[in-house]
Amino acid sequence: MLATLSTDTKNRALHAAADALLRRADAILAANEKDLQTARAAGTAEAMLDRLALNKQRIDGIASGLRQVAGLPDPIGEVLRGRTLPNGLQLRQQRVPLGVVGIVYEGRPNVTVDAFGLTYKSGNAVLLRGSSSAAHSNAELVATLRESLTVAGLDPDAVQLLPSADRASVTHLIQARGLVDVVIPRGGAGLINAVVRDATVPTIETGVGNCHVYVHASADLDMAEKILLNAKTRRPSVCNAAESLLIDAAIADTALPRLRKALQDAGVTLHENPTEDELRAEFLSLDIAVAVVDGLDAAIEHINTYGSGHTEAIVTTDLAAAQRFTERVDAAAVMVNASTAFTDGEQFGFGAEIGISTQKLHARGPMGLPELTSTKWIVWGDGHTRPA
Amino acid sequence: MLATLSTDTKNRALHAAADALLRRADAILAANEKDLQTARAAGTAEAMLDRLALNKQRIDGIASGLRQVAGLPDPIGEVLRGRTLPNGLQLRQQRVPLGVVGIVYEGRPNVTVDAFGLTYKSGNAVLLRGSSSAAHSNAELVATLRESLTVAGLDPDAVQLLPSADRASVTHLIQARGLVDVVIPRGGAGLINAVVRDATVPTIETGVGNCHVYVHASADLDMAEKILLNAKTRRPSVCNAAESLLIDAAIADTALPRLRKALQDAGVTLHENPTEDELRAEFLSLDIAVAVVDGLDAAIEHINTYGSGHTEAIVTTDLAAAQRFTERVDAAAVMVNASTAFTDGEQFGFGAEIGISTQKLHARGPMGLPELTSTKWIVWGDGHTRPA
């Protein structure tokens, strides 16, 4: 029973899976080449091809990821709270697996293995529904993982790949209430919204990031420029990249020309009279919406109106402004004088993440192993009955 | 802003609301009398009338409940995790309110005030959708609460009553995605299933309890009888009451006649050749389904098949059996040699509860104040940018 496997057994399985991936690298690369050929023939853009492509080095990285998860603390069995009640009942709240986790995702085949590693370590079975563009790669990867479990004497059904050719398989997955405990969509806003809208299984919304950098009237403009450029240009395609710049009206005369030039020099297109759509956009490109706001509270209101609840940053030297911003901005992560790029499981010290939750229930922000668990109350008595 | 009110301010508001309820007791009782008259005229059963009825003593109890919540620790602002990262970033994960909580519930008017107390203390606004049978009582209670907030200089919109005459108000509430953060249904299985099925807002399933008492082959039968009678007959109408008795085949010859007689003497009807429906039933009455199971693993499988994930109990003297049962039974609470009746927020030492979650996401088991919160990561830097 997966939920009750010892930590040692799970870690051994993860190392065995990593070994198997390296051993079968040629077969995996051959399968990946089939997907790449199909994608090239269909005229897929270069950036998408790069997401899809595997090579020896990437397979090494994927295998290392499994070993890294093996090295993380096992969340299962952790006692979160516990006490002996006045009547002598011994009460403890312990972490247990969620059960069956569904993952719906797009092109990157590494997600297939990463998701297996995190769900297996946390005692969960995983149902994977990847993109049809990566069908051959995913099939070979999952076959490798399953075989390594079988060889280790473990149940291979801990990881299962759903048919990606069949569009209905997503619907079946997200509506399998009572069979699937949670579905986590990983990908663009379209995928995530479709899953969340149609699911009857509980979902965890991940990833959509319309992150703002707000330059407060008191900001050090050198710092503001450095943080803004890092947040916007470090990796424009990731969810923690900045998509909107808010400049305080009190300093707009000096700050705006300077930051405009810095952004333009870095190849960023500024949308200075943004439409509503641009204010809500997750560009995932070298574009940024720019708005001048009338002070701190206007910035907070703007962010709470247009933000996606991912990561919001203020640049300021004013302590009261920083405190008010962190208290009142409603987001998974709020940064003071730091780049939005830090919202990340590895950066936060989790070792690995399954995604970044932008919802408030169950998990918020980077999701590591503990976020893939539930809890159970275990109560030991000695014939205890409750008085009327 | 409700989310940022100090603990002192919230506690003062709760005491003021308690005072107001006592001061306006006559008006509340008059409104309640109107609901009772309508219910009597409609031939409502006595048990339902009792749930609906208020009197001075019950109003005292409701007001005391608010004062008790004022005395509980404020979960908001609690730091759950925190560290300084190697790069000097100061990271902390802090409890914040969920935002707007919807409660859909049935006849009992005390839920109106209890739900306000717990949501207000945890910094949440609450949208209440009670039963039309309690419309006058709820209107008077909510008017009292809102007036007490206004008098205290606080925003009365922290508590709002939705029209119960309008059936569509439930649909609007449970589909107000983006406006309402979570909906908690409180009531019978029909209400809960309807809310969970039709909601697009995240929900927390509460309360349905098909709880089992499993009498293991090694059980002390005196203890088994005592626990079984307490679990079944203490308060048959509550969700933690036992609805099913499982007897190990190895001791059925002696245990079954004895336990049958004890139950019958206590006025319980045994369903000894239970149908599938009876095995799944939450009777909420002096009825119990009885099944003989072929050992520990058969008991666990039976429970995981037919149980509702609420509370499951084993009576045993065998340590290994107890350990295996607690590990493998999939429920919010698992009891060893204790009555199922202990699954309760007050019994667990939470002070008060908003319900008992039978789902795995976000909260499982009795839900106190911390379960009405989310978290936010707050990160303080000094111009930190992330390397490529």
Side-chain angles (χ1 to χ4, degrees):
Chain A
M1 193 187 184
L2 177 57
T4 58
L5 291 182
S6 73
T7 306
D8 284 347
T9 302
K10 292 188 285 189
N11 290 346
R12 270 199 298 272
L14 292 173
H15 282 291
D19 294 340
L21 290 170
L22 298 181
R23 209 164 44 233
R24 283 177 54 159
D26 288 342
I28 294 166
L29 292 178
N32 187 242
E33 185 53 37
K34 279 193 214 170
D35 288 330
L36 286 168
Q37 277 171 12
T38 309
R40 279 191 214 105
T44 304
E46 200 52 46
M48 288 289 281
L49 289 176
D50 183 59
R51 288 175 173 223
L52 178 58
L54 293 176
N55 54 39
K56 286 260 184 197
Q57 197 188 345
R58 286 188 177 179
I59 292 179
D60 280 355
I62 292 170
S64 301
L66 288 179
R67 297 190 205 282
Q68 191 187 349
V69 171
L72 295 175
D74 188 344
I76 302 306
E78 186 189 353
V79 177
L80 297 177
R81 290 185 274 181
R83 57 194 299 190
T84 300
L85 299 179
N87 60 12
L89 273 182
Q90 293 176 5
L91 192 68
R92 63 178 197 270
Q93 184 188 37
Q94 220 168 285
R95 280 201 196 278
V96 296
L98 285 168
V100 178
V101 176
I103 314 270
V104 182
Y105 57 109
E106 292 176 339
R108 295 175 183 272
N110 65 302
V111 173
T112 305
V113 181
D114 294 353
F116 162 72
L118 288 164
T119 51
Y120 200 82
K121 179 72 181 243
S122 50
N124 295 292
V126 67
L127 298 178
L128 298 164
R129 207 308 193 158
S131 163
S132 58
S133 67
H136 292 98
S137 312
N138 287 340
E140 190 64 29
L141 289 167
V142 172
T144 304
L145 298 172
R146 288 173 59 91
E147 194 195 84
S148 77
L149 291 174
T150 303
V151 168
L154 297 164
D155 185 354
D157 285 344
V159 51
Q160 296 181 53
L161 185 66
L162 302 182
S164 60
D166 180 7
R167 283 199 154 267
S169 69
V170 173
T171 311
H172 293 152
L173 175 64
I174 68 180
Q175 299 191 346
R177 198 171 176 91
L179 300 174
V180 176
D181 294 285
V182 61
V183 168
I184 306 173
R186 285 190 58 171
L191 170 75
I192 292 166
N193 290 336
V195 166
V196 169
R197 189 188 59 231
D198 297 334
T200 56
V201 167
T203 56
I204 297 180
E205 279 188 72
T206 63
V208 176
N210 175 16
C211 306
H212 297 70
V213 174
Y214 165 52
V215 182
H216 181 248
S218 75
D220 172 339
L221 286 188
D222 289 343
M223 186 189 287
E225 180 177 322
K226 198 173 66 149
I227 287 174
L228 176 64
L229 288 177
N230 184 259
K232 180 65 253 180
T233 68
R234 179 184 163 276
R235 281 184 67 191
S237 66
V238 296
C239 62
N240 58 27
E243 305 290 10
S244 297
L245 165 63
L246 301 181
I247 298 184
D248 204 291
I251 55 162
D253 281 354
T254 51
L256 183 51
R258 175 175 174 174
L259 297 175
R260 181 192 292 126
K261 180 169 188 317
L263 287 166
Q264 285 171 340
D265 288 351
V268 178
T269 302
L270 284 75
H271 301 265
E272 288 199 46
N273 290 301
T275 61
E276 280 279 314
D277 280 354
E278 286 169 338
L279 287 174
R280 293 190 192 280
E282 188 189 29
F283 294 109
L284 300 174
S285 57
L286 286 174
D287 291 81
I288 195 163
V290 182
V292 173
V293 291
D294 203 13
L296 175 65
D297 283 350
I300 293 168
E301 193 181 327
H302 182 105
I303 288 169
N304 288 344
T305 304
Y306 294 106
S308 62
H310 192 295
T311 302
E312 307 297 352
I314 183 173
V315 185
T316 186
T317 59
D318 180 326
L319 178 57
Q323 294 281 20
R324 193 171 173 90
F325 189 85
T326 60
E327 270 176 14
R328 298 192 170 224
V329 164
D330 190 19
V334 183
M335 305 280 171
V336 176
N337 296 333
S339 170
T340 56
F342 285 108
T343 302
D344 174 277
E346 291 213 44
Q347 291 292 316
F348 276 21
F350 295 177
E353 70 172 37
I354 193 114
I356 294 176
S357 165
T358 53
Q359 70 178 37
K360 292 190 190 172
L361 239 61
H362 186 71
R364 200 177 193 201
M367 295 176 61
L369 290 170
E371 285 72 23
L372 289 170
T373 67
S374 181
T375 58
K376 184 198 276 187
W377 289 96
I378 298 176
V379 184
W380 291 73
D382 183 28
H384 283 70
T385 55
R386 183 172 167 188
Chain B
M1 192 188 187
L2 177 56
T4 58
L5 291 182
S6 73
T7 306
D8 283 347
T9 302
K10 292 187 286 190
N11 290 346
R12 270 198 298 271
L14 293 173
H15 283 291
D19 294 341
L21 289 171
L22 298 181
R23 209 164 44 233
R24 282 176 54 160
D26 288 341
I28 293 165
L29 292 178
N32 186 243
E33 186 53 37
K34 279 193 213 171
D35 288 330
L36 285 169
Q37 276 170 12
T38 309
R40 280 190 214 104
T44 303
E46 202 52 47
M48 289 288 281
L49 291 176
D50 182 59
R51 287 174 174 226
L52 178 57
L54 293 175
N55 54 41
K56 285 261 183 195
Q57 197 188 346
R58 287 188 175 179
I59 291 177
D60 280 354
I62 292 170
S64 300
L66 288 179
R67 298 190 205 281
Q68 191 187 351
V69 171
L72 294 176
D74 188 342
I76 301 307
E78 186 189 354
V79 177
L80 298 177
R81 289 185 273 182
R83 57 194 297 187
T84 301
L85 299 179
N87 60 12
L89 274 181
Q90 293 176 7
L91 192 67
R92 63 178 196 269
Q93 185 188 36
Q94 219 167 288
R95 280 200 196 279
V96 296
L98 285 167
V100 178
V101 176
I103 313 269
V104 182
Y105 56 109
E106 292 177 337
R108 294 175 184 272
N110 65 301
V111 173
T112 306
V113 181
D114 294 352
F116 161 73
L118 288 164
T119 51
Y120 200 81
K121 179 72 182 242
S122 50
N124 296 291
V126 68
L127 298 178
L128 298 164
R129 193 349 182 127
S131 163
S132 58
S133 67
H136 291 99
S137 311
N138 288 338
E140 191 64 31
L141 288 167
V142 171
T144 304
L145 297 173
R146 287 174 59 92
E147 192 194 86
S148 76
L149 290 173
T150 302
V151 168
L154 296 165
D155 185 354
D157 285 343
V159 51
Q160 295 181 52
L161 185 65
L162 302 182
S164 60
D166 179 6
R167 283 197 154 266
S169 70
V170 174
T171 310
H172 293 153
L173 175 64
I174 68 179
Q175 300 191 345
R177 201 172 173 91
L179 300 173
V180 176
D181 293 285
V182 61
V183 169
I184 304 173
R186 285 191 60 169
L191 170 75
I192 291 166
N193 289 336
V195 166
V196 169
R197 188 188 60 232
D198 296 335
T200 57
V201 167
T203 56
I204 297 179
E205 278 188 71
T206 64
V208 175
N210 175 15
C211 306
H212 296 72
V213 173
Y214 165 51
V215 182
H216 181 248
S218 75
D220 171 338
L221 286 188
D222 290 343
M223 187 190 286
E225 181 179 320
K226 199 173 65 150
I227 286 174
L228 176 64
L229 287 177
N230 184 260
K232 180 66 252 179
T233 68
R234 179 183 163 275
R235 281 182 67 190
S237 66
V238 295
C239 62
N240 59 26
E243 305 290 11
S244 297
L245 166 63
L246 301 181
I247 298 184
D248 204 291
I251 54 162
D253 281 355
T254 51
L256 183 51
R258 175 176 173 172
L259 297 175
R260 181 192 292 127
K261 179 168 189 315
L263 287 166
Q264 285 172 342
D265 288 353
V268 178
T269 302
L270 284 74
H271 301 263
E272 288 199 47
N273 291 301
T275 62
E276 280 278 315
D277 280 354
E278 285 169 339
L279 287 174
R280 293 190 192 279
E282 188 188 29
F283 294 109
L284 300 174
S285 58
L286 285 174
D287 291 80
I288 195 164
V290 182
V292 173
V293 291
D294 203 11
L296 175 65
D297 283 352
I300 293 168
E301 194 182 326
H302 183 106
I303 288 169
N304 288 344
T305 303
Y306 294 106
S308 62
H310 192 295
T311 302
E312 306 297 351
I314 184 174
V315 185
T316 186
T317 59
D318 180 327
L319 178 57
Q323 294 281 19
R324 193 171 174 90
F325 188 84
T326 60
E327 270 177 13
R328 297 190 170 225
V329 164
D330 190 19
V334 183
M335 306 278 171
V336 177
N337 296 333
S339 170
T340 57
F342 285 109
T343 301
D344 174 278
E346 291 212 46
Q347 291 292 315
F348 277 20
F350 296 178
E353 69 173 38
I354 193 110
I356 295 176
S357 166
T358 54
Q359 69 178 37
K360 292 191 190 172
L361 239 62
H362 186 72
R364 200 177 192 201
M367 294 176 64
L369 291 170
E371 284 72 23
L372 288 171
T373 68
S374 181
T375 60
K376 182 198 277 188
W377 289 97
I378 298 176
V379 184
W380 291 75
D382 182 29
H384 283 70
T385 55
R386 184 173 167 187

